Amino acid sequence: MIKIVSLNVGKPQSVPFEKKEVSTGIYKHPVAGEVFLSSLNFDGDGQADLVHHGGKDKAVCVYPYEHYAYWSERLGRKLQHGAFGENLTTQGLLEDEVCIGDTFQVGEAVLQVSQPRQPCFKLSVKYGVPELPLWVQNTGYTGYYFRVLQEGNVAAGDEPILLERHPHGRTVTFANRIMHHEKQNIEGMRAMLAVERLSDSWRNTFEKRLGGIETDTKERLTGQV
């Protein structure tokens, strides 16, 4: 069954990290009932770093519940819904099954997959495990983002309905592989750029890479400039 296991929201808060304070919206909590989803976020939700999070291409963060058992064992702790800062904890919508540009009806809203989620050091802030962002990236258990094509109410328990499978069929898993593991794969990058519904930020990264410019990931993964 495909369904929304949990709907999670949370406002940014300041927390200590390596002798400084950082603001993060990664602390989400489940909410019951219908929640209105605008083109930018759910009511009651917010992002701290609007350069790297949020915006219309990244309005809704999704994480598959199927990965929870793996991370619970690896981290040695029980994980609550919203554990990875996601808005929607899902069942039946894994990265190797969902394609960039796929469109779903979820409750009253219409949502479209825009890009994989790129794990950042805020996961380290939450769990105290510096390696966690890189672990998430390397496993491919990243989750992904939806953009909002139609606003409306969404609730835990809603069953996403596939409205359109993108004809290019480039899965989130494929996109992750080209971005993080096959950085010299020119054909792969061109295949991703051919997906017109790919987010602007991922499009820019691939275009720069094709032009010989590589994006430094140190700050995203470690919080260190």
Side-chain angles (χ1 to χ4, degrees):
M1 174 185 289
I2 298 175
K3 70 174 183 178
I4 305 302
V5 176
S6 180
L7 194 160
N8 319 293
V9 300
K11 292 290 190 179
Q13 55 184 282
S14 293
V15 295
F17 177 69
E18 296 186 351
K19 300 180 180 180
K20 61 184 178 182
E21 292 280 318
V22 297
S23 182
T24 175
I26 201 168
Y27 295 93
K28 309 291 188 192
H29 58 273
V31 290
E34 292 186 333
V35 181
F36 182 74
L37 174 61
S38 73
S39 62
L40 291 178
N41 54 28
F42 282 102
D43 282 354
D45 194 50
Q47 297 84 26
D49 178 6
L50 293 178
V51 174
H52 299 101
H53 303 285
K56 290 191 175 183
D57 278 343
K58 293 179 279 188
V60 180
C61 185
V62 181
Y63 201 77
Y65 181 69
E66 288 89 341
H67 301 325
Y68 270 53
Y70 172 87
W71 292 117
S72 182
E73 181 176 356
R74 189 159 186 179
L75 295 172
R77 67 186 76 188
K78 182 177 175 59
L79 299 177
Q80 305 297 323
H81 294 152
F84 292 87
E86 76 270 19
N87 299 116
L88 299 179
T89 311
T90 59
Q91 177 181 315
L93 292 172
L94 291 162
E95 292 91 345
D96 60 358
E97 301 167 341
V98 173
C99 298
I100 306 300
D102 284 357
T103 304
F104 294 87
Q105 178 91 39
V106 185
E108 295 175 350
V110 176
L111 310 179
Q112 187 178 78
V113 181
S114 59
Q115 68 165 74
R117 186 252 190 97
Q118 287 189 289
C120 75
F121 76 97
K122 302 296 179 64
L123 288 167
S124 304
V125 173
K126 184 172 183 179
Y127 290 104
V129 180
E131 304 86 357
L132 185 55
L134 191 58
W135 289 351
V136 172
Q137 179 173 292
N138 287 343
T139 57
Y141 298 164
T142 60
Y144 45 91
Y145 286 103
F146 281 133
R147 64 170 62 90
V148 179
L149 302 184
Q150 176 180 300
E151 299 178 340
N153 290 315
V154 178
D158 283 345
E159 298 179 8
I161 299 168
L162 179 65
L163 298 179
E164 180 190 358
R165 175 75 72 189
H166 193 276
H168 286 254
R170 303 300 179 185
T171 64
V172 171
T173 295
F174 178 83
N176 273 327
R177 188 167 75 246
I178 300 304
M179 177 64 77
H180 303 302
H181 304 291
E182 298 181 13
K183 295 186 176 184
Q184 305 304 316
N185 188 335
I186 293 174
E187 287 187 5
M189 287 185 277
R190 287 175 175 165
M192 289 308 308
L193 289 171
V195 181
E196 77 286 353
R197 295 170 183 173
L198 181 68
S199 70
D200 288 344
S201 63
W202 273 54
R203 182 173 298 280
N204 290 339
T205 298
F206 285 135
E207 288 174 344
K208 286 180 180 178
R209 190 178 291 172
L210 285 172
I213 302 171
E214 185 56 54
T215 302
D216 188 357
T217 60
K218 179 182 176 182
E219 183 176 0
R220 171 173 63 84
L221 292 170
T222 70
Q224 305 300 319
V225 179

